Amino acid sequence: PSVGCIAREKGSTDEALRRLQHSARPAEVAGEFALAAQSSILLFRIVSERQPPQTVGPLLSRTRTLVTRAGEPELSALLHESVARQETQAANYDEARRHLRTAMALVDRHPNAWIEQLCLINAFCIAVYECDLRTAEERLSAAASLIETTGAFEPEIRNNQGHLYLQQGKFEKAEEILQRVSRLGSGQVPQSALDGLGRLYLATGRLDDCAKALDR
């Protein structure tokens, strides 16, 4: 699963899918249900980005079975956060919040800063989509406070911060952060930063800069 995650972070989605698919079944056959569940959850997270909920239903059902057999609360929390993420993408915000509450309740009893960060980032996204920028800022700040503990998600959080500044009309701050994130290499996060720069330049009438950002 770890190699699949690395491939996903680098933007090699097809490779990530292949590695996760190949790791889940052997782990299940060997009775390593926690490992199989982890692979299946990560696989669900990627597939649910590409396919509608009804298409990924069988995968979700199988993943739930593996998580139940694994019996680890951290995996249950991660699954609920993953479903919340899917519901957020489908604009089912009430359902997303319900799953996030369940995930956070599990994290409260079984602390896991990494999953907590995921929940906070998801809550940030819901708040942005609902134009509740104050709550969005609070959730993102809480996620950022965990970076030192987890060593994770700093590019994602900084990118989200840049997009939040863009929404707030703080164009100078947004440009500074998005430029920095866009230089991190390839993958979804730098691409998202470039998209944000394109929107920023369009909003401020810098059409040549907008074209350059989109070309990149």
Side-chain angles (χ1 to χ4, degrees):
S2 297
V3 177
C5 287
I6 292 170
R8 178 71 175 82
E9 289 301 316
K10 291 183 175 180
S12 302
T13 304
D14 290 336
E15 180 184 354
L17 286 170
R18 178 174 57 82
R19 289 186 177 276
L20 290 170
Q21 287 168 338
H22 288 174
S23 65
R25 184 58 182 167
E28 182 181 359
V29 171
E32 298 287 346
F33 295 114
L35 188 59
Q38 181 185 0
S39 293
S40 192
I41 292 171
L42 296 173
L43 184 63
F44 167 75
R45 291 175 72 86
I46 297 174
V47 174
S48 64
E49 291 179 349
R50 297 180 161 194
Q51 303 292 336
Q54 59 269 26
T55 303
V56 297
L59 174 58
L60 177 57
S61 178
R62 183 62 186 157
T63 302
R64 283 177 171 144
T65 299
L66 289 171
V67 168
T68 300
R69 297 189 73 177
E72 295 190 3
E74 290 86 356
L75 290 173
S76 295
L78 181 58
L79 178 58
H80 277 287
E81 190 281 329
S82 299
V83 175
R85 185 168 173 266
Q86 180 194 37
E87 297 291 1
T88 300
Q89 292 168 348
N92 299 325
Y93 302 131
D94 288 341
E95 191 66 10
R97 276 189 286 264
R98 184 177 72 82
H99 281 283
L100 282 181
R101 284 195 295 271
T102 302
M104 286 300 294
L106 287 165
V107 168
D108 285 343
R109 294 196 297 270
H110 307 275
N112 185 306
W114 184 76
I115 297 175
E116 184 178 355
Q117 267 186 312
L118 283 173
C119 291
L120 289 166
I121 292 170
N122 199 329
F124 159 82
C125 292
I126 294 172
V128 168
Y129 293 147
E130 294 187 327
C131 298
D132 184 356
L133 300 187
R134 180 176 180 179
T135 297
E137 192 166 15
E138 291 173 354
R139 299 294 181 268
L140 196 61
S141 178
S145 71
L146 294 171
I147 290 175
E148 186 174 349
T149 300
T150 65
F153 302 119
E154 184 169 6
E156 289 85 351
I157 290 170
R158 300 310 174 206
N159 178 56
N160 285 337
Q161 189 175 46
H163 281 272
L164 179 60
Y165 283 145
L166 177 58
Q167 291 270 44
Q168 294 171 329
K170 300 175 181 178
F171 296 135
E172 289 186 8
K173 289 184 176 181
E175 183 176 6
E176 178 185 355
I177 291 175
L178 293 173
Q179 281 281 15
R180 190 159 61 243
V181 174
S182 73
R183 292 192 288 265
L184 293 177
S186 60
Q188 284 193 330
V189 174
Q191 289 177 6
S192 175
L194 286 169
D195 177 73
L197 286 170
R199 294 195 294 121
L200 185 154
Y201 295 142
L202 186 63
T204 55
R206 297 163 60 181
L207 301 186
D208 288 343
D209 288 334
C210 177
K212 290 176 183 177
L214 296 179
D215 284 343
R216 286 178 60 195

